[in-house]
Amino acid sequence: MNHLINPLIVRAADAPAIKPAVELGTPLLLTIAAAGIALLLVLIIRFKIQAFVALLAVSILVGVAAQIPLKDIFTVVTTGVGSTMGKVALLIALGAILGRMIEVSGGVQSLATHFTEKLGAKRVAVALTAVGFLVAIPVFFEVGVIVLVPIVYAFAKIAKVHPIKFGLPMAGIMLSIHVAVPPHPGIVAGAGVFGADIGLITLISLIICVPLGFLSYWVASIMNRKDYELLPGVKAQVEEFGSDSLVKVGHDGPGAAAIAPPRPGLIIFLIAAPIVQILLGTIGTLTIAKDNYWYGVASFIGNPFFALLVAVTLSFFLLAVRRNWSLKETGEIFEGALPPIASILMVVAAGGVFGEVLRTSGIGAALSHTLDHLGLPVIALGFIISLALRAAQGSATVAIVTTTGLLTSAVMEGGYSPAQIAVIVIAIGFGSLGLSHVTDAGFWTVIRYYGLTVSDGLKTWTVLTTVLGLAGFALTFVAWILVGGLGV
């Protein structure tokens, strides 16, 4: 059998790089790229085509238009999928499982109660903002909002105020973390496209998100000085909640007979463990010589895949085993975490295809050369493009993967250091934070659960996300200066 396989391997290794059959000029290549993005937005917004299908179809059309040989089109497609998914699929899956374990165990409610008791009833909004910061690291944005809704409703009834008074600052910082902090899919996908260091991204983005938490609370408190209409359906739900509902004992699925939610210290430990592990590994690889044995140890320990796998294993013993969940029940929880991320993984894969097509066709290089003549730093362009795509089609993940695909050549050929590339990825992430409005599923999640009209949602949620996005970029630009970005 080897005598058949080996020649194929040799032929694959010796295969020339795929190039367009005809070299097109820069203006035409940029026109094709612009037309492709316009078509992508039309398919997603006007015709409601699923983002994965739209990205894949547009990628193929752009490749054909850019004169990539037809026989090589699907080789480019599979290369794009493999290069992207190999870097991000496990991270997203393990992050989803960890978040699901914390959610189902009642850990979110435990955190909320703990912070409220520590800070006092008069500082509920502060407490929930702190809870949102921690919960958003392992839990997807929409899931976090929905899981915390009962707590927001209960406090809103006690204080006799609109749920938005407590929910707005919390949701603001949760979305900020969702777009900028691993292991969330958009930022992980962007890091994968650029080959950025996940540990550096985690360290820098978390530092930036701390002041954004205070800003979210402050801006929301100004907005909340005004009274907003509470939709009747949500008003009825709020009235169902009382102080006895602040802690949800156990959950509604496996292990529902649990005596009490896990302690808040345990949940904080589970959230912090992979972050600390990644950061320790990153610090080790930055301070230890590459030819030293301990460099390999630090690299292994700090690998995000391994860190999240350790965290999931810890959650199995500290949540499932301690709470007497059966193996069948725990397996159901693990499996239940995966279906919701299937569409996200497909969008990330299609984004990788789009980026590979742009690179192979020469569009990425043409865009890179054009940007050089404009004089704008790549970090600013990444933020602006991501913000525009976010506003146009709604998905933060699509905005990030499309932007990184467009700027791959500019970043790869720019001579940037690992820290500078990490900062560029974070800037693109914060670009996808702003202008959340009717095209964004997260917008509808917030206004639906917090009982806002569309008009009030635009005045509050859209404004808050835009302020946070701009502030996040401003802080990221400070980081850019600190890592020597202005000198590149």
Side-chain angles (χ1 to χ4, degrees):
M1 191 68 176
N2 286 341
H3 71 279
L4 295 175
I5 295 176
N6 288 339
L8 294 176
I9 296 174
V10 171
R11 284 176 60 190
D14 294 338
I18 297 173
K19 296 181 179 180
V22 178
E23 294 285 344
L24 302 179
T26 295
L28 184 54
L29 286 173
L30 295 182
T31 300
I32 292 171
I37 292 174
L39 177 59
L40 174 66
L41 297 177
V42 169
L43 290 175
I44 293 175
I45 298 170
R46 176 65 180 85
F47 295 102
K48 310 300 181 185
I49 303 296
Q50 210 277 338
F52 159 66
V53 177
L55 268 168
L56 187 59
V58 168
S59 298
I60 294 171
L61 290 175
V62 168
V64 173
Q67 301 296 307
I68 295 177
L70 294 179
K71 64 182 179 65
D72 294 325
I73 287 288
F74 289 100
T75 301
V76 174
V77 169
T78 54
T79 300
V81 172
S83 62
T84 303
M85 294 298 280
K87 299 172 184 175
V88 307
L90 291 178
L91 280 179
I92 295 173
L94 289 170
I97 291 172
L98 177 62
R100 181 66 175 163
M101 288 288 284
I102 292 172
E103 171 199 346
V104 169
S105 69
V108 175
Q109 289 83 352
S110 177
L111 274 180
T113 304
H114 171 75
F115 275 90
T116 304
E117 290 175 349
K118 291 294 182 183
L119 294 174
K122 293 183 179 180
R123 297 179 181 175
V124 169
V126 176
L128 290 181
T129 303
V131 170
F133 187 101
L134 291 173
V135 168
I137 295 172
V139 176
F140 285 180
F141 170 71
E142 287 85 355
V143 174
V145 170
I146 294 169
V147 168
L148 287 168
V149 156
I151 299 167
V152 172
Y153 284 2
F155 283 127
K157 180 177 181 179
I158 294 170
K160 297 181 180 179
V161 297
H162 196 297
I164 199 67
K165 305 285 186 182
F166 300 134
L168 187 61
M170 179 190 73
I173 190 57
M174 289 177 72
L175 186 60
S176 300
I177 289 176
H178 181 82
V179 302
V181 180
H184 291 294
I187 196 72
V188 170
V193 172
F194 285 167
D197 188 307
I198 293 289
L200 285 173
I201 292 175
T202 303
L203 175 61
I204 297 169
S205 61
L206 276 176
I207 292 173
I208 291 173
C209 282
V210 170
L212 288 187
F214 290 98
L215 180 64
S216 180
Y217 173 77
W218 180 68
V219 173
S221 65
I222 294 175
M223 292 178 174
N224 284 330
R225 292 172 185 172
K226 178 184 175 182
D227 291 327
Y228 300 100
E229 176 188 351
L230 180 58
L231 297 180
V234 174
K235 184 178 181 180
Q237 293 181 55
V238 170
E239 291 175 352
E240 294 176 1
F241 287 86
S243 57
D244 292 338
S245 303
L246 295 185
V247 179
K248 184 180 179 184
V249 178
H251 49 90
D252 298 327
I259 298 173
R263 294 180 178 178
L266 174 58
I267 301 303
I268 293 173
F269 168 74
L270 289 174
I271 294 172
I275 297 172
V276 172
Q277 188 174 333
I278 291 170
L279 295 182
L280 287 175
T282 300
I283 293 170
T285 56
L286 291 175
T287 56
I288 301 173
K290 288 188 176 181
D291 56 354
N292 190 304
Y293 168 79
W294 293 105
Y295 178 90
V297 174
S299 178
F300 177 79
I301 291 175
N303 187 289
F305 297 134
F306 182 60
L308 278 172
L309 182 60
V310 170
V312 169
T313 303
L314 288 172
S315 73
F316 174 78
F317 288 103
L318 298 177
L319 294 178
V321 174
R322 274 191 173 186
R323 302 171 74 76
N324 297 318
W325 294 350
S326 69
L327 293 177
K328 180 176 180 296
E329 291 172 332
T330 307
E332 290 174 357
I333 295 172
F334 275 44
E335 290 181 11
L338 299 179
I341 66 169
S343 62
I344 294 173
L345 288 173
M346 292 299 98
V347 169
V348 170
V353 173
F354 188 57
E356 185 66 18
V357 167
L358 293 176
R359 187 194 65 78
T360 304
S361 64
I363 290 174
L367 181 63
S368 175
H369 296 148
T370 303
L371 296 179
D372 285 341
H373 293 304
L374 291 177
L376 285 175
V378 69
I379 185 174
L381 287 166
F383 174 79
I384 293 169
I385 294 171
S386 180
L387 179 63
L389 289 172
R390 160 69 155 174
Q393 52 78 43
S395 169
T397 301
V398 171
I400 293 171
V401 297
T402 305
T403 303
T404 50
L406 285 169
L407 297 180
T408 298
S409 295
V411 173
M412 295 298 101
E413 298 171 5
Y416 298 107
S417 69
Q420 290 164 352
I421 294 175
V423 171
I424 293 170
V425 176
I426 295 169
I428 293 171
F430 281 124
S432 72
L433 171 58
L435 296 177
S436 170
H437 62 107
V438 294
T439 60
D440 176 23
F443 172 84
W444 295 105
T445 299
V446 169
I447 69 168
R448 182 172 69 245
Y449 282 98
Y450 294 156
L452 290 172
T453 63
V454 172
S455 174
D456 287 339
L458 293 171
K459 295 174 184 176
T460 55
W461 179 245
T462 303
V463 173
L464 177 62
T465 57
T466 305
V467 169
L468 291 174
L470 291 170
F473 174 70
L475 293 171
T476 305
F477 198 81
V478 172
W480 178 249
I481 295 172
L482 294 176
V483 298
L486 295 183
V488 178

